[in-house]
Structure formats: C-alpha cells, structure tokens
Amino acid sequence: MKKVLVTGGAGFLGSHLCDRLLQDGHDVLCVDNYFTGTKANIAHLRGHPRFEAMRHDVTFPLYVEVDEIYNLACPASPVHYQFDPVQTTKTSVHGAINMLGLARRLGARILQASTSEVYGDPEVHPQTESYWGRVNPIGVRSCYDEGKRCAETLFFDYWRQHRLQIKVVRIFNTYGPRMYERDGRVVSNFIVQALRGEDITIYGDGSQTRSFCYVDDLIEAMVRMMATDDGFTGPVNVGNPSEFTMLELAQKVVALTGSRSQLVFKPLPSDDPRQRQPDISLARQALKGWEPTIALDDGLTRTIDYFRTVLATDR
C-alpha cells in the first residue's frame, strides 16, 4: 500500500484515477481547488476509509507526506483555460514547481500529466515524442500549451539537477463519464447538443482530425507509467491512434443518440490544430504492451449513457 497524492483529483481524469488507485489498494489524497473539478465526481468516494479530499490550489505550496504524486491539476478545455489565462499558466508552472519541490523533499516519485498540445499545430503526422512541436507562444491557447511545455522543462531539469524520479505522459484527446457538460470539448459538446436536439456545431469544414481515447484506457497507461523502472522518464504519448475527422465524430454521435440534430459549420477557432494523432510505439514498448482496448463506438455509448443521466437530473 502506498500513500498517493492526486492533484486535480476531483476533475474528469483525476476522479477516475482516484477510483483506480483505491481499487489497487492505495491510500489516496485528492487535492483540488474545484475550479473545474467537482465534488460530485468524488461523492461516491466520501466515507471510503482510504480516501481523503482536500481543497487546495497547487499554485501555493503543499505540505503532506506521500509516496507518489500524480500532478493532474490544470484546466484542460479551451473554455476553462482561456477564462483566466494568467491563472492557467500559473497552475502549470507554479503548480509544477510546488509539486516537484514536495517530491524532492519526500523522495517521492512524481508523474506529470502533460498534453498533446505541446505539439501545437503539428507539421509531423502522426506525432512522435521526438517531435518538438509547432506552438504559437502568444496566441489564445498559449497559456495552456506553453504552460504545459514549461512544466515539462521543469520536470526534466529536476531530473537532471536533483535526480528526481519523474514520469511524463503526453495525453491525447480523452473522453468518458464525468466530463463536464459545458467544457467546450468536442465529444461532450456533440453529445450534449445531440441529446438536447440542438444543432451540432462543427468548427471549420469538419476535416480536421483527432484521436479519441476512452478514459479507462488512459488511466491504465498512467498507472503503468508510474510503475516503470526508475531510469525511464518519458515523455510518452498516451492516447488512441485511431484517427477520425470531426465530421465523422458528429455523425457517429447522431447515430448513437438517435438524434435529429442538424450539423452547422462555424469558423475555425484561432490556433486550432488541423491534425492530432499519437504514435504510441514507445507506449507499447515501455508500458508492457499497453494499448487502447475500447473502440470509439463502445466508449461513446458509455459516455452518452452518462450524459443522459446528467441531463435528466438537470431537469
């Protein structure tokens, strides 16, 4: 049994990670400031003898005793991270500094939840970990993209300078239950609009692509990454290499929900990547044969069922 800290633990990914760590027999300390995370995501864990929740903002130092740290704290959808871009950058950078400092003091292993956004609007397809990316440093998405890139820099500098045990995963588009219905991400947008019978909004002509990984597959990769040998740091791409256009995704959602929603097209937002697909060769090799197992149709069906319940409760 280990004592494990999960920052951003009440968020979409964080709450699923807390579930998995408890299932594996660990003590879990969930830290969140509830900017995008919600108490509802962890309500089912209240009263669990090995679970503790703490309201805390990672831009301030944290003094606790743990064996491992998963650093997931940061708003991940454009709607949220552009709401307060300065705070978003501070969360990525100051949060990384504080968690790395804690890990160094404790001698703890620490995993950084980085992002495919470090690749920006890529010129290389699919993206490999050796690609340095093509990111606009002064655009509307830069608070998130550059914040995460700087966090990776800090992690590797702590590894080189202090020999800290670090693990870095670059997360590609992930979806599933507990996504926030108004977070602006494409899967939740399409599903909510379809279930409400509203027009489904596609930005651009719908030809831009993404690769969608179901949350359970993503969490499995993170847990395996934390368990790799001390000398392996990553970064490692984690995501589903199956690539779909936005138009294909919208059509799938309409078919699976039985919706009569119409597709409407609007201008592409600034700096929105045209292509996004992970090369997961390294993950397959380093994470004991890990690869996604849940097909998009199956994952979408589970996510649609979740949102049906959420929207019914909202009424």
Side-chain angles (χ1 to χ4, degrees), residues 14 16 23 26 28 38 50 53 55 81 94 119-120 124 126 136 139 149 158 164 168 177 190 230 250 256 271:
H16 284 279
Q23 177 187 319
H26 302 303
V28 175
T38 68
R50 287 183 280 104
R55 181 188 289 270
Y81 66 64
H94 291 188
Y119 299 122
V124 172
N136 177 0
R149 285 164 68 94
Y158 265 78
L164 192 66
V168 177
F190 285 1
D230 291 353
L256 290 170
D271 298 329

Side-chain angles (χ1 to χ4, degrees), residues 144-157:
Y144 184 70
D145 301 1
E146 295 288 34
K148 288 289 192 176
R149 285 164 68 94
C150 185
E152 285 198 16
T153 299
L154 287 162
F155 266 70
F156 279 91
D157 283 340

